[in-house]
Amino acid sequence: CIRDRDMRGVLMKELTYFNGEFVEPGAKCVSLDDRGYCFGDGVYEVTRVFDGRCFAFSYHQDRLYRSMRFMDIPVKMRPEDLQELHEIMIEQSGITDGYIYLQITRGVEPRHHAYDRSKLEPTMYMYIRPIKEDLSKLGEGVKAISLPDERWLNVDIKTLNLIPNILAQTKAEKKFAYSAVLFRDDICTEGATSNVFAVKDGICYTHPANNLILKGITRQLVVTRVAPTAGVSVIEKEFDREFVENADELFFTDTIGGIIPITTYDRKPVGNGEVGPVAAKLRAGYEKLLAEGLA
């Protein structure tokens, strides 16, 4: 295991789990005939670990099982056992601030597009890693660019098929941007790796949670818990490129970074080029919720 110490000097170790046992990180245990390797035929989740606890685990678990039902991948682990496995990884790793990656593929068989559900056993892979970067810097604002949304029509399912996201994120980083804001037929959908909110006259707007966006967990918490507590109105409706360009504020939301203000968009300042009051208020509210914990 890879070992390190956190800021308190506590020993941490990165753990990897594969099909019922802990293995060394980087161990060669995945078959070349695994459908995840051949087709990207699987689903995944990333859960935030904060203060030694999984944050919003039930939300991630519900989304995972929904994705598996859509993909026709059988659920082999009970919800309570999956939660216990996450807790064991946190306890044994000593990691109190990090994330757990979970991936489930359809299983192993000779490469063929169609599958026989009765002959396949899902492959399950997990690891826990510490967060080493200073996430507080994201609160100071980031740069974003606009790109076309070239993904398939069921991005609400969290599958391993992320090539359009990968290409968009790479283009953004090559232009020294944090990420990209995506547009489908001139309608803003979400970011390359996150959801997007636009603020106009103190009101937040975000794309409806349909098949054209991933129903992000942080997005859900902003809409249902953080914004109402902060007295901020949120409207889930489509908005176009012009609306984005004229927004008072823009921000991304994702599991690791939380609420991430966008201060530069397509090389132009958003608003006055500084973190806006709505994004700042929501980020503070989200960090409070993170500290309080949420099952």
Side-chain angles (χ1 to χ4, degrees), residues 44 48 50 56 60 120 125 128 132 153 194 220 223 272:
Y44 77 101
R48 181 80 156 88
F50 188 82
H60 288 280
L120 285 165
Y125 163 56
I128 184 169
K132 298 181 179 181
L153 295 178
S194 55
Q220 292 183 58
V223 172
N272 61 7

Side-chain angles (χ1 to χ4, degrees), residues 26 48 123 142 148 153 162 193 238 260 267 284:
R48 181 80 156 88
T123 299
V142 300
L153 295 178
L162 296 172
T193 62
E238 292 183 354
I260 306 163
R267 296 184 292 182

Side-chain angles (χ1 to χ4, degrees), residues 26-86:
K28 297 179 180 179
C29 45
V30 179
S31 168
L32 295 180
D33 284 329
D34 191 287
R35 290 181 64 92
Y37 178 79
C38 295
F39 296 111
D41 188 359
V43 298
Y44 77 101
E45 278 292 334
V46 180
T47 304
R48 181 80 156 88
V49 176
F50 188 82
D51 196 23
R53 297 174 295 182
C54 279
F55 179 70
F57 178 77
S58 62
Y59 290 76
H60 288 280
Q61 184 172 251
D62 288 347
R63 187 171 64 183
L64 172 70
Y65 288 161
R66 177 178 181 270
S67 294
M68 292 178 72
R69 287 193 299 271
F70 180 92
M71 294 282 287
D72 192 31
I73 297 174
V75 175
K76 295 291 187 176
M77 185 174 287
R78 298 181 304 172
E80 57 268 31
D81 294 334
L82 184 61
Q83 181 173 0
E84 182 180 12
L85 180 55
H86 279 69

Side-chain angles (χ1 to χ4, degrees), residues 51-248:
D51 196 23
R53 297 174 295 182
C54 279
F55 179 70
F57 178 77
S58 62
Y59 290 76
H60 288 280
Q61 184 172 251
D62 288 347
R63 187 171 64 183
L64 172 70
Y65 288 161
R66 177 178 181 270
S67 294
M68 292 178 72
R69 287 193 299 271
F70 180 92
M71 294 282 287
D72 192 31
I73 297 174
V75 175
K76 295 291 187 176
M77 185 174 287
R78 298 181 304 172
E80 57 268 31
D81 294 334
L82 184 61
Q83 181 173 0
E84 182 180 12
L85 180 55
H86 279 69
E87 293 170 352
I88 289 172
M89 294 193 77
I90 294 171
E91 180 181 358
Q92 293 194 8
S93 69
I95 294 172
T96 58
D97 188 17
Y99 63 95
I100 294 176
Y101 177 85
L102 164 63
Q103 173 178 299
I104 299 175
T105 71
R106 194 177 304 281
V108 178
E109 67 175 355
R111 189 181 187 280
H112 180 65
H113 281 72
Y115 62 89
D116 184 341
R117 193 177 193 270
S118 66
K119 297 180 180 179
L120 285 165
E121 188 68 23
T123 299
M124 184 173 171
Y125 163 56
M126 294 174 63
Y127 63 75
I128 184 169
R129 301 284 187 269
I131 294 175
K132 298 181 179 181
E133 61 266 34
D134 183 2
L135 297 180
S136 65
K137 291 184 178 179
L138 297 177
E140 300 172 3
V142 300
K143 297 179 180 179
I145 63 171
S146 62
L147 288 173
D149 188 343
E150 298 176 332
R151 302 170 300 170
W152 73 322
L153 295 178
N154 285 108
V155 296
D156 55 319
I157 306 303
K158 202 169 176 68
T159 76
L160 301 178
N161 292 275
L162 296 172
I163 291 301
N165 304 71
I166 289 169
L167 295 176
Q169 185 64 25
T170 300
K171 288 177 182 178
E173 293 187 16
K174 283 184 176 180
K175 294 188 176 182
F176 304 100
Y178 175 78
S179 192
V181 176
L182 303 181
F183 292 85
R184 188 188 294 270
D185 297 328
D186 214 38
I187 298 296
C188 177
T189 50
E190 56 184 336
T193 62
S194 55
N195 292 115
V196 173
F197 287 74
V199 180
K200 192 68 177 177
D201 299 326
I203 299 175
C204 283
Y205 296 83
T206 191
H207 194 285
N210 56 22
N211 63 298
L212 297 180
I213 73 163
L214 180 70
K215 192 175 181 180
I217 306 305
T218 306
R219 176 196 178 281
Q220 292 183 58
L221 295 177
V222 168
V223 172
T224 63
R225 304 190 63 147
V226 179
T229 300
V232 176
S233 297
V234 178
I235 298 177
E236 298 180 74
K237 64 174 292 185
E238 292 183 354
F239 50 90
D240 60 15
R241 188 182 302 272
E242 183 179 1
F243 190 88
V244 173
E245 293 172 349
N246 293 297
D248 300 326

